[in-house]
Amino acid sequence: MRTNRSALVLGTLVLAAGGVLAGAPSAGAAAAESNCNYIADSARPTVHPGDKGNNVRQVQCLINFYSNYSDYLTVDGDYGQNTAAGIFYVQTCNGTTGGADGIVGPSTWSRLYSPKAACAL
């Protein structure tokens, strides 16, 4: 019994250490990442200030996991001021088409999934 318990504890520690050592995925891995799965990776709907729902959750999650935006966003599905600030950062840093307009369109989606190196974690 003691051997089984020791093996279980050791196995748990190895798995935990592996998760810590693995670190965050690269920006290029974002499309395959399971952290942000509120909508399909191929879905790129236009998102506007004031929107609510899973499209906004996806945007918030991608900003948190793949951009080097300094503030962590609450993934609540509500496109308010904090989300707007994160989107403006992504748009400005990445030089998205259309500039920093706060609207998440094709260019912004592209940079959310694949930010420029200087704008990524």
Side-chain angles (χ1 to χ4, degrees):
M1 181 74 165
R2 184 175 185 155
T3 303
N4 288 342
R5 187 174 297 154
S6 296
L8 178 62
V9 169
L10 180 60
T12 302
L13 290 173
V14 168
L15 288 174
V20 169
L21 294 175
S26 68
E33 179 56 48
S34 62
N35 289 319
C36 301
N37 58 4
Y38 297 97
I39 62 173
D41 291 342
S42 60
R44 309 278 171 104
T46 303
V47 179
H48 296 88
D51 284 355
K52 296 182 184 311
N54 284 338
N55 298 336
V56 177
R57 284 184 185 87
Q58 186 76 0
V59 168
Q60 293 166 330
C61 184
L62 291 169
I63 290 170
N64 286 340
F65 276 95
Y66 302 109
S67 79
N68 63 5
Y69 180 60
S70 61
D71 293 337
Y72 184 82
L73 297 176
T74 300
V75 180
D76 60 3
D78 185 5
Y79 186 149
Q81 290 180 338
N82 294 335
T83 301
I87 291 170
F88 283 124
Y89 170 81
V90 168
Q91 291 175 329
T92 301
C93 187
N94 288 283
T96 56
T97 303
D101 61 2
I103 298 170
V104 181
S107 180
T108 303
W109 277 112
S110 178
R111 289 307 182 183
L112 284 169
Y113 281 101
S114 298
K116 289 181 178 178
C119 306
L121 288 177

